[in-house]
Amino acid sequence: MAKPRISSIDGKLAEEFAVPSHVEEVKEKMAVFARHHAAADRRVVLITSGGTKVPLESRTVRFLDNFSSGRRGASSAEYFIESGYAVIFLYRHRSLYPYTRIFSNINMLDALKFSDGEGVSGNAEVVVNQQVLPNIAKALKRYQEMKEGKLLLPIEFSTLSEYLHLLKAAAQALSTIGSKAMFYLAAAVSDFYIPASEMPEHKIQSSNGPLQLSMNMVPKILSPLVKDWAPQAFVISFKLETDATILLDRARRALDTYRHQAVVANVLDSRRGYVVVVTPETQAELIITEEDVKNEVEIEERIVRG
Amino acid sequence: MAKPRISSIDGKLAEEFAVPSHVEEVKEKMAVFARHHAAADRRVVLITSGGTKVPLESRTVRFLDNFSSGRRGASSAEYFIESGYAVIFLYRHRSLYPYTRIFSNINMLDALKFSDGEGVSGNAEVVVNQQVLPNIAKALKRYQEMKEGKLLLPIEFSTLSEYLHLLKAAAQALSTIGSKAMFYLAAAVSDFYIPASEMPEHKIQSSNGPLQLSMNMVPKILSPLVKDWAPQAFVISFKLETDATILLDRARRALDTYRHQAVVANVLDSRRGYVVVVTPETQAELIITEEDVKNEVEIEERIVRG
């Protein structure tokens, strides 16, 4: 008789994806965070953000990656906090971060200048040039309020293995608060990996000639997440395609397969201006107009509020 | 009769690697920069830095990448400028950058605070907390001096194709200043790629099953760079291995093959504390001790000054 599917995904996770050494510690931190906010009658959303790194060698020089700046996850985190949620932010190392994302495209040294005054250390005081960074005071204020309220718990990952184990830990931690938990899975997760047992230890040598890679399929972790780990939670997944003609079909198929609450479907080229929110019963287009862009309205605000 | 090797690399570059649309404009900018500084009797070094992105799809969702934060290139750029060079910094988008690298591991909003005063706009003034960022005044001063002297020309790349074409353009631009030019090739460049003709247009579907990738070998651009594009320049390449036992052999082999001036050989795990500078006649170990670390001495200072 075939093994049940769920336990086989659990088994695969344990066998083929290295467990991060701090996973139990992080799980406890997330559980404490979730219980604290649930007790204050706040909903808690786990946002995943950024791409995953899939090593091709154990001592990794080369890896497969997924395109993702982390913009959607980072901006959504801000809108969730504004809407009264507490946020666990599971994000790829060096991807965009809530609040600081507004100066991600600026060289910070171009936005700093010496003032005439002196700082406490006797050094010249260094101040932000608000003509270069007009939104900095607002961002700093919001950031400090968020920290004051302890509304954001950031957890970093780099590799696919770290992502998978930390997401499982998060799901188990959040299961303690039942339907107060939401999952907002915006990370761009690899569909393929090389099992540890088939990975060369050292850097692949180019003198060996062209590279043949054979990559296995990553287990669909959404399945045990919805069915077993956090069955009462509200789960939103994301579907990114480059081909608009297959997008909605893929989104519907994901809902059929995993039986979760919503898929946010988007196409690579238009992802910042157009998404479709698909639920088992409904389908809603969200559009950002040129007028919206002028008013600094972002599509993530509509997704989060919608 | 076989085609000559050099023109075949040129041909391959043109055929199989998309030419960035701004390459001629950048080449002219680099040539103007080089002539200006050479006329002021300054040497000009082209530093490459960061990893290269190798797309697996034309509308890229997935790519192969090389591990590199860009730390070595960014810190070396600072030491070259301190030593009187002008620097063309050919770097991977979002990799570490000269001077700003000192706060790359800090959330900048944790290092900012409101002061009591008001800024020009009537907003509260935002200042840097120099207890969090003790080196900021020094870094800002150096950065402003560097800008004042126009000593750094930053050029960004993301993909392997961009890197290859921009490096060729740089070599041609720098050939006009002969032996005043140096190449310091610290970028971690992919050895493998998928030719445009063999690349799927759309995102590879995981429903098609496991992924078989067949990747070609990237042409060794160091060869035409040394022989044809900039024959009078001083060329330093980098060799990173994970296996220390093959390192020096690979470094010597590179010197034999390309006939350039030096290879900086390093092992992944110890790269910040130990390198070997290999030339046709010599071999010098550079080591950073614990004492050096305390005094904030970096190995790049030794490489650049050596």
Side-chain angles (χ1 to χ4, degrees):
Chain A
M1 215 174 83
K3 276 195 201 168
R5 187 167 46 106
I6 299 314
S7 67
S8 102
I9 287 186
D10 264 339
K12 231 183 178 130
L13 261 187
E15 275 164 38
E16 301 194 355
F17 299 90
V19 183
S21 57
H22 63 316
V23 67
E24 285 304 319
E25 183 194 329
V26 171
K27 193 203 282 188
E28 180 56 24
K29 226 189 244 179
M30 294 190 286
V32 169
F33 181 87
R35 281 195 301 264
H36 166 77
H37 287 292
D41 207 28
R42 214 169 274 126
R43 281 180 293 179
V44 179
V45 59
L46 182 285
I47 298 177
T48 67
S49 187
T52 58
K53 195 164 160 172
V54 178
L56 304 189
E57 301 125 338
S58 335
R59 305 199 193 184
T60 310
V61 173
R62 302 188 177 86
F63 54 93
L64 187 78
D65 209 337
N66 273 52
F67 168 82
S68 175
S69 66
R71 182 181 309 278
R72 182 148 285 162
S75 59
S76 298
E78 295 175 22
Y79 294 116
F80 272 114
I81 287 173
E82 246 179 60
S83 302
Y85 284 74
V87 174
I88 301 178
F89 189 60
L90 183 58
Y91 74 110
R92 162 75 176 270
H93 179 63
R94 295 206 177 286
S95 67
L96 293 188
Y97 197 86
Y99 308 98
T100 65
R101 69 187 176 99
I102 64 156
F103 43 82
S104 67
N105 287 322
I106 284 181
N107 180 332
M108 184 47 80
L109 290 174
D110 286 326
L112 296 180
K113 57 182 185 182
F114 289 105
S115 83
D116 303 327
E118 273 191 7
V120 274
S121 59
N123 279 334
E125 187 132 273
V126 175
V127 303
V128 177
N129 181 343
Q130 297 192 36
Q131 282 173 314
V132 179
L133 276 183
N135 292 324
I136 190 68
K138 196 166 70 182
L140 181 59
K141 190 157 171 290
R142 285 190 187 162
Y143 179 73
Q144 290 179 342
E145 284 164 3
M146 171 281 285
K147 277 188 85 172
E148 185 69 30
K150 296 191 171 67
L151 293 170
L152 183 75
L153 176 64
I155 310 282
E156 247 185 34
F157 66 86
S158 284
T159 65
L160 173 67
S161 293
E162 288 164 358
Y163 169 84
L164 293 172
H165 285 289
L166 291 170
L167 178 57
K168 179 181 173 184
Q172 293 172 331
L174 286 178
S175 70
T176 57
I177 62 166
S179 63
K180 278 203 148 46
M182 181 189 277
F183 290 81
Y184 185 89
L185 306 171
V189 183
S190 181
D191 291 308
F192 306 104
Y193 77 107
I194 299 181
S197 57
E198 290 170 28
M199 214 184 285
E201 180 185 357
H202 285 294
K203 183 181 178 187
I204 299 165
Q205 292 294 322
S206 63
S207 48
N208 299 346
L211 181 63
Q212 304 293 333
L213 281 180
S214 176
M215 304 188 78
N216 288 7
M217 288 170 66
V218 173
K220 301 294 188 190
I221 198 171
L222 196 49
S223 179
L225 189 151
V226 173
K227 281 185 82 165
D228 296 283
W229 299 336
Q232 294 180 278
F234 192 94
V235 178
I236 301 169
S237 70
F238 283 72
K239 190 58 124 184
L240 174 79
E241 294 290 349
T242 57
D243 182 355
T245 63
I246 64 170
L247 180 66
L248 287 179
D249 175 60
R250 303 283 151 164
R252 289 248 157 257
R253 211 186 285 183
L255 281 180
D256 284 349
T257 308
Y258 304 112
R259 307 262 150 207
H260 59 305
Q261 284 69 34
V263 174
V264 179
N266 56 151
V267 172
L268 185 65
D269 294 334
S270 60
R271 67 194 183 283
R272 294 177 68 175
Y274 177 77
V275 305
V276 187
V277 180
V278 185
T279 73
E281 298 82 27
T282 66
Q283 185 165 313
E285 292 187 327
L286 304 179
I287 298 169
I288 290 293
T289 64
E290 283 180 32
E291 189 64 21
D292 290 330
V293 173
K294 265 186 225 150
N295 296 327
E296 299 186 3
V297 174
E298 296 177 308
I299 198 157
E300 290 77 15
E301 180 172 356
R302 304 250 161 99
I303 301 173
V304 169
R305 301 253 160 92
Chain B
M1 214 175 80
K3 275 194 203 168
R5 186 168 45 107
I6 300 314
S7 68
S8 102
I9 286 185
D10 264 339
K12 229 182 177 132
L13 261 186
E15 276 164 36
E16 301 195 355
F17 298 90
V19 183
S21 58
H22 65 318
V23 68
E24 286 303 320
E25 184 194 325
V26 171
K27 192 205 281 189
E28 180 56 21
K29 225 189 242 177
M30 293 191 285
V32 168
F33 181 86
R35 282 195 301 265
H36 166 76
H37 286 292
D41 207 29
R42 215 169 274 125
R43 281 181 292 180
V44 179
V45 59
L46 182 286
I47 299 177
T48 66
S49 188
T52 59
K53 196 164 159 171
V54 178
L56 304 189
E57 301 126 337
S58 333
R59 306 197 193 188
T60 310
V61 173
R62 301 186 178 89
F63 55 94
L64 186 77
D65 209 336
N66 273 53
F67 166 81
S68 176
S69 67
R71 182 181 309 277
R72 181 146 286 160
S75 59
S76 298
E78 295 175 22
Y79 294 116
F80 271 114
I81 287 172
E82 247 179 59
S83 303
Y85 285 74
V87 174
I88 301 178
F89 189 60
L90 182 59
Y91 74 109
R92 163 72 177 273
H93 180 62
R94 294 204 181 283
S95 66
L96 294 189
Y97 196 84
Y99 308 99
T100 64
R101 69 184 175 101
I102 65 158
F103 44 81
S104 66
N105 288 323
I106 284 180
N107 181 332
M108 184 48 79
L109 290 173
D110 286 325
L112 296 179
K113 56 183 186 183
F114 289 104
S115 82
D116 303 328
E118 272 191 8
V120 276
S121 59
N123 279 335
E125 187 133 273
V126 175
V127 304
V128 177
N129 181 345
Q130 297 193 37
Q131 282 174 314
V132 178
L133 275 183
N135 292 324
I136 190 67
K138 197 166 68 182
L140 181 57
K141 190 156 170 288
R142 285 189 187 161
Y143 179 74
Q144 290 180 341
E145 284 164 1
M146 172 280 287
K147 278 189 87 173
E148 184 69 30
K150 297 191 171 66
L151 294 170
L152 183 77
L153 176 63
I155 310 282
E156 247 185 33
F157 67 87
S158 284
T159 65
L160 173 67
S161 293
E162 288 165 356
Y163 168 85
L164 292 172
H165 285 289
L166 291 170
L167 178 57
K168 179 180 172 184
Q172 292 173 332
L174 286 178
S175 70
T176 58
I177 61 164
S179 62
K180 279 200 148 45
M182 183 190 273
F183 290 82
Y184 185 89
L185 306 171
V189 182
S190 181
D191 291 309
F192 305 104
Y193 77 107
I194 298 180
S197 56
E198 290 170 29
M199 215 184 285
E201 181 185 357
H202 284 295
K203 184 182 178 188
I204 301 165
Q205 292 293 324
S206 63
S207 47
N208 298 345
L211 181 63
Q212 303 293 331
L213 281 181
S214 175
M215 305 189 78
N216 289 7
M217 287 170 67
V218 173
K220 299 297 187 187
I221 198 173
L222 195 49
S223 179
L225 189 152
V226 173
K227 279 184 84 168
D228 295 284
W229 300 336
Q232 294 179 279
F234 192 93
V235 178
I236 302 169
S237 70
F238 284 72
K239 189 57 121 184
L240 175 80
E241 295 291 348
T242 56
D243 182 353
T245 63
I246 63 169
L247 180 65
L248 288 179
D249 176 60
R250 302 283 151 165
R252 291 245 155 259
R253 213 187 284 184
L255 281 181
D256 285 348
T257 307
Y258 305 113
R259 305 263 151 206
H260 59 306
Q261 283 69 35
V263 174
V264 179
N266 56 153
V267 172
L268 184 65
D269 294 335
S270 59
R271 67 195 182 283
R272 292 178 69 175
Y274 177 77
V275 305
V276 187
V277 180
V278 185
T279 74
E281 298 81 26
T282 65
Q283 185 166 312
E285 291 187 328
L286 304 179
I287 298 169
I288 290 293
T289 63
E290 283 182 31
E291 189 64 22
D292 290 330
V293 173
K294 265 186 224 149
N295 296 326
E296 299 186 6
V297 175
E298 295 178 308
I299 200 158
E300 290 77 14
E301 180 173 355
R302 303 249 162 99
I303 301 173
V304 169
R305 301 253 159 95

